[in-house]
Amino acid sequence: MSSVRNLRGRDALTLETIEIEVLDTRVASIRPYSGNVDDLWLAPGLVDLQVNGYGGIDLNAAACDAQAIERLTLLLASRGTTAYLPTVITAAHPEMESRLRTIAEARRNSTVVAHAVPGVHLEGPSISPIDGYRGAHAAEHVRPPSLTEFESLQVAADGLIKLVTLSPHWPDVATYIRALRDRGVTVALGHTHASPEQICAAVDAGAQLSTHLGNGIAAELPRHPNPIWTQLAEDRLTATFIADGVHLPADVLRVMLRAKGIERSVLVSDSVALAGSKPGLYHSPIGGDVIVGADGSVRMRDTGLLAGSGIALKDAVALAAGLPGSSLRDAVRMATEIPGGFLNAPCGRLAVGSSADLLLFRWSAADDTLALIEVLVEGRSMLALQNN
C-alpha cells in the first residue's frame, strides 16, 4: 500500500508558500499553497562535503565499523544532513585503506548508508608538512602525491573516493591533478602553503575547490601574497567554509562570502566525533589530546590549533543566514544545491520526482540553529526513528 504525506511551508529557495506531496519515497508534486503555514520553512536535505564524525562516532578511529557508520548516518539525518562525504584524513597507508574499506562495507550492507553517502572525501595525505598549514594532520604521515597510492586507496574504497584535498606545492602536482580529474575525482586545495603560481597552475590542471578556506593555514601570514588571497581571487575555485563562529569570525566569513559570491561558496561542518561533547580534555584520532571548549570548539591541547568542528551543518546554515547582508535562501543554497553539484548525485535539490529528502523547520535571524520539525529521507521520518 502506498504512503502519502503532505508538507506545507515556505520554500527556503523560492520564498513561495508551497505544499509538497510525498508518495512513498519520492516527491510526487509541488504546488502553491494559500493556507497559513505560520513560520514553517521547507528545504531539501542538507549536503555536507566534510564529515569526520559526530556524536561519539569517529570515522578515523580504528574501532569504527560498518554498524557505527550506519548509526552515524542516521544521527546526521536526524540533524538534517541527508547526504554527506565521510572524510578520511592523513594517516599511514594501511590505516587509510582500512578506513576506506569500512566505509565501502557500510555502503554495501546498508541501504541507509548507500543512499546518504555518494562518495568519500580524502583529506590528505599530500598536504603541507609545515606546522600550522598542516593543522591537526599527523606530520609523520604527510607524503607526496602518488597515483599508485591513490589507485590502491580507490580499490579499497570500492571506487568511492570522489573528492581529494591536497596542497599544490608538491613537484609535478599538475600531472597528478589531471590524472584524478580524468578518473572523475574532484580536486580541492587545502592545508597549503603554496605560492600564487602553484595555486594557479593547480587550477589550470583542473582543481575546482578550496577546502575550508581560511583554515588549515598558519596563524601568521605575509600581508600579501598568501594562499588565502590567491584562492579568493581565483574565480574557477569554489570555496568551502566552516561557519561555526570559531573557525572564521563573522566579519571574516562575511568578507569571504562577498569575495567568492554565493554561487562559488559551500558550507561544510568539518564535524568530528566530539561534536556536542561537554567541555573537557579528550583523546581523539584527529589531533591527539584535544580540549572541547565552552564554545564547542575542539582544539589540540599543545598547540591550540582547531581539530575539526563541534557543529552539525544545520548550525552553519543558521549562522550564515543570520549574518548581516545574508539570507536564509543563500545559506540553504550553500548547503544543498551548490555542494550537491559537485557530487554527481541526486541530492540537494527539490523537484518533482526527486527523492523525498526534505526538511521542515523554524528559524529566525536570532537563532543559532534550525529548529527541525521534520526530516524525511526517502519519505521516512528520521526524527521519529531517533526518538524510538
Side-chain angles (χ1 to χ4, degrees):
M1 181 179 294
S2 296
S3 170
V4 179
R5 290 197 61 176
N6 292 300
L7 299 180
R8 304 180 183 98
R10 290 184 68 192
D11 185 336
L13 298 178
T14 67
L15 306 185
E16 298 173 349
T17 303
I18 60 172
E19 179 177 54
I20 300 174
E21 180 181 313
V22 175
L23 178 61
D24 295 330
T25 65
R26 318 301 291 184
V27 174
S29 68
I30 304 172
R31 50 186 176 261
Y33 182 71
S34 58
N36 179 27
V37 296
D38 296 321
D39 55 352
L40 292 175
W41 292 89
L42 284 163
L46 305 181
V47 180
D48 197 338
L49 300 184
Q50 191 164 9
V51 173
N52 307 284
Y54 192 84
I57 301 169
D58 197 323
L59 289 163
N60 288 279
C64 184
D65 58 18
Q67 291 74 32
I69 293 173
E70 183 174 45
R71 293 196 304 274
L72 171 65
T73 302
L74 291 169
L75 181 58
L76 290 173
S78 76
R79 304 298 192 268
T81 300
T82 60
Y84 72 102
L85 294 186
T87 300
V88 174
I89 72 162
T90 303
H93 181 84
E95 294 175 11
M96 296 180 76
E97 279 194 327
S98 176
R99 291 160 190 167
L100 291 166
R101 286 195 191 96
T102 300
I103 295 167
E105 177 190 355
R107 200 173 182 277
R108 287 192 301 269
N109 293 350
S110 167
T111 57
V112 170
V113 178
H115 179 76
V117 175
V120 173
H121 179 175
L122 200 65
E123 188 184 5
S126 302
I127 58 171
S128 173
I130 299 174
D131 288 352
Y133 298 93
R134 191 183 70 255
H137 292 240
E140 64 269 25
H141 297 309
V142 173
R143 49 196 182 271
S146 163
L147 190 56
T148 299
E149 177 174 27
F150 170 79
E151 290 178 337
S152 173
L153 294 173
Q154 187 69 295
V155 169
D158 202 16
L160 284 174
I161 300 173
K162 302 297 185 185
L163 173 60
V164 172
T165 293
L166 54 77
S167 170
H169 76 279
W170 298 98
D172 203 27
V173 73
T175 300
Y176 183 70
I177 292 171
R178 282 191 289 269
L180 295 189
R181 294 286 290 139
D182 288 345
R183 288 159 172 77
V185 177
T186 299
V187 175
L189 310 182
H191 289 281
T192 183
H193 66 280
S195 68
E197 293 76 18
Q198 290 168 330
I199 291 170
C200 290
V203 176
D204 288 341
Q208 293 180 282
L209 284 170
S210 296
T211 290
H212 51 49
L213 190 60
N215 297 111
I217 200 159
E220 295 186 3
L221 295 169
R223 180 176 55 186
H224 43 69
N226 66 51
I228 295 177
W229 294 129
T230 307
Q231 291 179 82
L232 278 177
E234 178 50 77
D235 288 341
R236 291 172 293 174
L237 287 174
T238 294
T240 72
F241 299 106
I242 307 171
D244 63 352
V246 177
H247 280 79
L248 296 172
D251 55 352
V252 174
L253 179 58
R254 288 179 66 197
V255 169
M256 288 186 169
L257 290 175
R258 287 177 185 172
K260 294 309 294 187
I262 298 304
E263 298 291 341
R264 293 188 294 272
S265 299
V266 168
L267 300 179
V268 296
S269 70
D270 195 23
S271 63
V272 294
L274 292 171
S277 298
K278 295 180 180 179
L281 176 65
Y282 297 85
H283 188 80
S284 169
I286 300 177
D289 290 333
V290 298
I291 295 174
V292 175
D295 59 358
S297 64
V298 184
R299 297 180 182 274
M300 297 169 66
R301 183 185 64 178
D302 294 338
T303 66
L305 293 174
L306 290 161
S309 87
I311 63 167
L313 189 54
K314 68 185 180 72
D315 309 323
V317 171
L319 186 147
L323 292 174
S326 188
S327 68
L328 179 63
R329 178 180 185 271
D330 289 344
V332 169
R333 289 192 65 216
M334 290 188 288
T336 55
E337 65 180 51
I338 298 175
F342 287 94
L343 296 180
N344 192 28
C347 58
R349 294 185 180 274
L350 177 56
V352 174
S354 66
S355 177
D357 300 348
L358 303 167
L359 307 185
L360 181 68
F361 62 93
R362 289 190 171 93
W363 170 84
S364 72
D367 293 339
D368 60 3
T369 192
L370 307 183
L372 298 176
I373 306 303
E374 181 61 284
V375 180
L376 299 184
V377 173
E378 294 190 291
R380 292 192 304 161
S381 172
M382 293 295 105
L383 297 186
L385 280 177
Q386 285 296 311
N387 291 332
N388 286 338

